[in-house]
Amino acid sequence: MTRLRLARRSLILRLVGLSLLLLLIVQAAGFAVVRASIDRNARAQIARALDLDENIWRRLLDQNAEQLRQGSALLAADYGFRSAVNSGDEETIQSVLENHGSRIGAAVTALLGTDLTLRAVSLTGSMDQFPATLQQVVPRLAQQPQGSQIAVMEGIPYQFVMVPMRAPVVIGWVLMGFRIDQSSADEMRQLLSVHVALMVKAPGGAMTLPVSTLPADAQALLLASGGAAGELQTAEGTLLTRSSPLDSVGGEVHSLLLRSVDEVVAPYRQLQVLLAIITVAGVLLFAVGTGLVAQRLATPLRSLLAATQRLSRGEYDVPLEHTDRTDEIGNLARSFDHMRVDIGAQQTEIRRLAYWDRLTGLPNRERFRDAVVQAIAASASTPQPLAVLTLDLDRFKHVNDVLGYAFGDRLLQAVAERLSQQVRSPDDMVARLGGNEFAILLQRADAADAHDVAQRINQSFEQPLAFEDQTVDLSAGIGFACWPGDAGDADTLLSRSEIAMYAAKRQLSGALQYDAAFDSSSAQTLSLLTELRHAVEHHELRLYLQPKVPLHGQPGLAAEALVRWQHPQRGLVPPMQFIPFAEQTGFVRHLTLWMFEEVARLLADPRTQGLPLRVSVNLSTRDLLDPELSHRLADILVRHGVPASAFCLEITESAIMDDPQRAEAMLNRLSEQGFKLSIDDFGTGYSSLAYLKRLPVDELKIDKSFVMGMETGEDDAMIVRSTIDLAHNLGLTVVAEGVETAAIQDRLRALACDEAQGYHIARPLPVDDFLAWQARQG
């Protein structure tokens, strides 16, 4: 739940956060554009204002010059002053200059002769530079009598004018100079709100600001910048500077006009603040709206997330919400709900396939095992015995091969129906474990009850099954095991019931209860398998040969190869104690290859190379169904350099009938390699003449039970005679095993049997003893 809440919050926060981020980016870009536009417009406005300010400032300087010119003209027109000049009254001239200059506020008042030489001067304060300045100012003013000239003296800018004195001709020149003071700059500041400064640069490079409306810190920054036009960053803000040089002598004079950008932008600040307030309000409203939209989107998504969690728990019966919406969320919810329904149906079908057999409708192995586990768990608290029966149909593969798989399926369905009829308690269960193998769980049943059920099943199988024109006789091997006597858990109980079933099939018994002697997985048999592997690896096995003698003097020498186990502790172990176990576990293939290797080594031995010896080797079912058998045998022949014709491979009928098609294919390959083939224990299996005709066999070996019975019953003698005649008609030779007496041997000779084998002739012998026996026979 916490993870779900965090995921929900994370989604809403991401949606709202992303939307707000985009909005803020747009607003910030808008602010930047507005601010840049305001700043650009303000600077353009200030530039236009500075153009006007510069014109006004020059007009103001020109106006001041005109006032000076009028004062000078007034002095030049004074009759007394002209009389004094004409009479050369120097004292009067000096007095008039001083009085008139002080009256109009002139800093310099001078009388020049017609040759522009200085005749008299009145100075305010000490002006040591005046004589030098006079030499520069007068020539310039003489060239433009109606103009003015700015001159720098003692670092102070002065504005000079010069007018002629006429009586009526020019009798001299009046020169007057006024200091450009702070008043003019203050006037500009008051009238136009512009800062004015005059920067004077002396010939030595020193710069001063004799006139300025700027604060002290701004003046220092202005001096540091050298008075260049551009921007000046002060404590009061940014000042745009317009610098224009004035025509001057005695030093450079620059007129500086400065306007504040902040003062121009100030009216727009309120608009920006208002815009910021509107933006904040918009962001808040946008956040609320986006949050509501995100919540509306997240709610169905949370529903879908909860649905996925229910699906992961296997809950497919809860319908989804929001399927009635008409937008994309509704489409997604409906699609998801259809997926839920489809998955639920698929899971139901999967469970049915996982726990039920489709052919018979019975529970399968997994379902049956679960039922056994639950029954044992339920009986653990209140002990109630239970039993498991396992049965396997006989000859079912043969039915499939001869009558077809469709017929086999119908047979399995009929068997399932018959078994279900034998179960009387609703707590019991019939299951198909696979193939032609079935199992029955009997609740509250002991060994006697299980045996009764097995007997009823066998009795029900006594009635053949009829399908259309085919009638099939049923039989099965049935084994059962009981809990808690035979096993302590479900898996062991099932395994031991199956082991008992295989034992019943081997012994042709109707029903068998589990016995530890059947258990191929017991510690004893596991130990036996380990010891058998050890025996092969450490050469404990021995090759024995039992002679076969011709009954009518045919040439050749034959014997059957047998294996014995020389155990280091148990001594010579009889074959019946390990051969069936080897066949059951599959280890018999190793024994077969070992025996074939030993026989090939014997045939390659110099002692047997001159003998027309043919040795028979038995092949088991597992050997015959091994697709690599022909290649393995061929490798052994090549390795020892012996021909395949020196071998006779004996195969039992049951080995052929377990899988006739594969067996026939392997026998054909072996026959093509040159091996002689023999049917062992003929008469005890279920082979038909059709198979016998198709198989590439060379010999029939009559089972010893018929041969030994010839002394006591004519029926066995008739079977032997018929088998010999049948084999000869098919072009096959006949070998009779189990010849225990001379009488049996003579009778076989009379019946035209080709070869005989048995204890009357010779017991199985070690290789050396066999060769000695053969030497004695000549």
Side-chain angles (χ1 to χ4, degrees):
M1 183 60 69
T2 301
R3 184 178 301 174
L4 176 62
R5 189 178 297 111
L6 290 176
R8 180 183 67 211
R9 289 178 179 175
S10 177
L11 177 60
I12 295 176
L13 288 177
R14 285 200 297 271
L15 289 175
V16 175
L18 180 60
S19 301
L20 290 180
L21 178 61
L22 294 176
L23 178 61
L24 289 175
I25 291 175
V26 172
Q27 291 296 325
F31 267 111
V33 171
V34 170
R35 186 178 183 87
S37 178
I38 291 175
D39 185 76
R40 184 172 58 255
N41 292 335
R43 292 175 184 274
Q45 181 179 345
I46 291 174
R48 291 191 297 270
L50 287 175
D51 291 339
L52 179 62
D53 295 339
E54 185 177 4
N55 293 332
I56 294 175
W57 174 248
R58 290 187 179 276
R59 290 288 299 274
L60 183 60
L61 292 178
D62 292 342
Q63 183 179 354
N64 289 337
E66 183 63 26
Q67 290 177 356
L68 290 176
R69 190 175 296 106
Q70 291 178 0
S72 300
L74 184 61
L75 177 60
D78 185 84
Y79 179 78
F81 183 63
R82 284 188 298 177
S83 298
V85 171
N86 285 329
S87 62
D89 187 354
E90 299 295 333
E91 184 177 351
T92 301
I93 293 173
Q94 185 69 36
S95 176
V96 172
L97 290 177
E98 291 178 358
N99 291 335
H100 190 77
S102 64
R103 186 172 60 250
I104 64 175
V108 176
T109 306
L111 176 64
L112 303 178
T114 56
D115 58 353
L116 300 180
T117 60
L118 182 63
R119 293 181 56 185
V121 63
S122 173
L123 300 175
T124 301
S126 174
M127 293 186 182
D128 296 337
Q129 295 181 355
F130 178 71
T133 302
L134 184 65
Q135 295 177 1
Q136 300 179 35
V137 170
V138 171
R140 293 196 177 196
L141 290 176
Q143 295 176 1
Q144 47 177 357
Q146 298 301 318
S148 65
Q149 179 64 49
I150 296 176
V152 178
M153 293 186 300
E154 305 294 338
I156 303 298
Y158 292 85
Q159 189 172 24
F160 288 88
V161 295
M162 188 173 67
V163 297
M165 182 182 295
R166 301 178 186 273
V169 297
V170 176
I171 60 175
W173 297 84
V174 176
L175 178 66
M176 299 188 73
F178 292 82
R179 180 175 177 175
I180 302 176
D181 56 9
Q182 188 70 29
S183 59
S184 299
D186 291 340
E187 184 178 359
M188 284 285 292
R189 177 63 180 164
Q190 292 175 0
L191 291 176
L192 302 176
S193 298
V194 61
H195 286 286
V196 180
L198 291 180
M199 177 174 285
V200 176
K201 183 176 182 181
M207 289 184 293
T208 59
L209 286 175
V211 176
S212 175
T213 61
L214 293 170
D217 57 341
Q219 293 182 31
L221 292 173
L222 187 60
L223 287 173
S225 66
E231 294 185 3
L232 184 66
Q233 300 294 335
T234 67
E236 298 179 356
T238 302
L239 297 176
L240 291 184
T241 305
R242 174 72 62 81
S243 175
S244 59
L246 298 178
D247 185 21
S248 61
V249 296
E252 297 179 9
V253 178
H254 290 267
S255 174
L256 300 177
L257 302 176
L258 302 97
R259 278 191 175 271
S260 174
V261 177
D262 296 335
E263 291 179 0
V264 178
V265 174
Y268 298 98
R269 299 299 184 197
Q270 296 179 353
L271 179 60
Q272 287 182 310
V273 172
L274 180 61
L275 183 61
I277 294 173
I278 295 174
T279 300
V280 171
V283 168
L284 293 177
L285 291 176
F286 190 80
V288 173
T290 307
L292 294 176
V293 173
Q295 183 72 21
R296 180 171 174 78
L297 290 175
T299 299
L301 292 180
R302 291 198 301 271
S303 175
L304 293 178
L305 180 59
T308 59
Q309 293 176 341
R310 289 195 300 270
L311 291 179
S312 66
R313 296 193 297 267
E315 301 174 6
Y316 303 102
D317 55 345
V318 181
L320 267 71
E321 302 175 354
H322 310 288
T323 55
D324 55 344
R325 293 178 55 158
T326 59
D327 55 4
E328 289 79 0
I329 296 294
N331 294 334
L332 177 61
R334 286 188 292 273
S335 299
F336 208 87
D337 196 56
H338 293 159
M339 183 182 70
R340 173 191 65 82
V341 174
D342 293 341
I343 293 177
Q346 292 174 5
Q347 289 295 320
T348 301
E349 179 65 15
I350 290 173
R351 283 194 295 269
R352 190 181 70 81
L353 294 176
Y355 293 104
W356 298 89
D357 179 56
R358 299 184 63 180
L359 178 63
T360 62
L362 296 177
N364 62 8
R365 181 183 292 273
E366 188 65 25
R367 178 71 183 89
F368 187 77
R369 179 187 176 279
D370 290 344
V372 175
V373 171
Q374 294 173 6
I376 292 178
S379 301
S381 56
T382 57
Q384 295 280 350
L386 58 91
V388 171
L389 279 76
T390 305
L391 63 93
D392 187 86
L393 300 179
D394 296 328
R395 303 182 304 280
F396 182 71
K397 183 181 292 293
H398 182 63
V399 171
N400 273 340
D401 293 337
V402 175
L403 301 179
Y405 288 96
F407 188 89
D409 291 344
R410 296 176 61 186
L411 177 62
L412 292 175
Q413 292 170 346
V415 170
E417 183 178 356
R418 285 198 180 183
L419 293 178
S420 299
Q421 293 172 356
Q422 304 306 317
V423 175
R424 298 174 181 176
S425 172
D427 296 331
D428 297 340
M429 177 183 289
V430 179
R432 182 189 176 200
L433 302 184
N436 58 325
E437 187 175 347
F438 294 83
I440 302 175
L441 170 63
L442 300 176
Q443 302 268 21
R444 296 177 294 278
D446 54 15
D449 298 327
H451 189 270
D452 291 341
V453 173
Q455 291 298 106
R456 290 203 306 269
I457 293 173
N458 282 328
Q459 291 173 4
S460 69
F461 283 175
E462 291 178 358
Q463 181 179 357
L465 289 174
F467 298 104
E468 299 174 354
D469 57 344
Q470 295 289 340
T471 301
V472 180
D473 291 322
L474 286 179
S475 63
I478 304 177
F480 62 90
C482 301
W483 181 87
D486 294 331
D489 59 83
D491 291 327
T492 305
L493 185 64
L494 292 172
S495 175
R496 291 181 174 175
S497 174
E498 195 168 9
I499 290 171
M501 179 265 292
Y502 284 124
K505 288 180 70 69
R506 287 195 302 270
Q507 299 179 18
L508 301 179
S509 175
L512 284 179
Q513 183 180 3
Y514 169 78
D515 188 280
F518 305 153
D519 192 357
S520 62
S521 63
S522 64
Q524 179 181 359
T525 53
L526 288 176
S527 174
L528 182 59
L529 179 60
T530 303
E531 291 181 356
L532 265 178
R533 295 183 185 278
H534 184 273
V536 173
E537 295 171 358
H538 292 78
H539 310 290
E540 295 178 4
L541 301 181
R542 302 289 184 267
L543 177 64
Y544 275 61
L545 298 172
Q546 186 174 23
K548 296 180 181 180
V549 297
L551 297 180
H552 301 284
Q554 304 96 320
L557 173 63
E560 180 180 3
L562 303 171
V563 63
R564 298 291 185 268
W565 182 5
Q566 188 66 46
H567 197 280
Q569 284 81 33
R570 305 181 198 173
L572 197 63
V573 180
M576 291 306 297
Q577 292 187 11
F578 65 91
I579 293 297
F581 170 75
E583 292 178 347
Q584 183 180 359
T585 59
F587 193 76
V588 68
R589 287 180 295 182
H590 297 277
L591 295 181
T592 301
L593 292 178
W594 177 90
M595 185 176 296
F596 203 89
E597 185 89 31
E598 292 299 314
V599 171
R601 184 178 288 110
L602 172 63
L603 294 175
D605 192 297
R607 294 177 295 173
T608 61
Q609 286 184 351
L611 299 176
L613 179 61
R614 186 184 71 252
V615 182
S616 298
V617 178
N618 288 279
L619 296 183
S620 68
T621 303
R622 295 181 183 269
D623 293 322
L624 201 58
L625 300 183
D626 181 4
E628 298 297 322
L629 176 64
S630 59
H631 302 295
R632 300 181 200 276
L633 299 186
D635 292 341
I636 295 175
L637 294 178
V638 171
R639 187 161 57 250
H640 292 281
V642 295
S645 57
F647 289 85
C648 179
L649 304 181
E650 296 185 0
I651 307 100
T652 61
E653 291 179 81
S654 59
I656 298 174
M657 298 312 297
D658 277 348
D659 194 339
Q661 293 180 352
R662 291 176 61 185
E664 182 179 352
M666 178 55 68
L667 291 176
N668 284 325
R669 288 200 295 269
L670 295 173
S671 178
E672 291 172 359
Q673 288 179 261
F675 292 105
K676 183 178 180 180
L677 302 179
S678 173
I679 301 296
D680 194 12
D681 299 335
F682 185 80
T684 60
Y686 305 97
S687 60
S688 64
L689 292 178
Y691 272 115
L692 189 60
K693 180 180 178 182
R694 287 167 48 187
L695 294 176
V697 296
D698 306 286
E699 177 183 281
L700 290 184
K701 195 172 184 181
I702 303 175
D703 186 68
K704 60 183 179 181
S705 60
F706 301 115
V707 175
M708 296 172 65
M710 291 175 60
E711 289 186 320
T712 57
E714 286 300 321
D715 291 339
D716 290 331
M718 186 179 298
I719 292 174
V720 172
R721 181 185 302 108
S722 301
T723 302
I724 294 173
D725 293 341
L726 172 65
H728 287 165
N729 290 333
L730 293 175
L732 306 178
T733 60
V734 180
V735 178
E737 61 177 345
V739 178
E740 305 294 327
T741 63
I744 295 176
Q745 183 174 354
D746 293 338
R747 192 162 186 180
L748 289 172
R749 184 179 289 109
L751 294 176
C753 182
D754 299 298
E755 292 182 348
Q757 174 184 350
Y759 282 5
H760 172 70
I761 299 169
R763 292 177 175 272
L765 302 171
V767 172
D768 293 338
D769 293 346
F770 170 78
L771 294 177
W773 178 88
Q774 180 60 34
R776 289 195 299 272
Q777 300 301 314

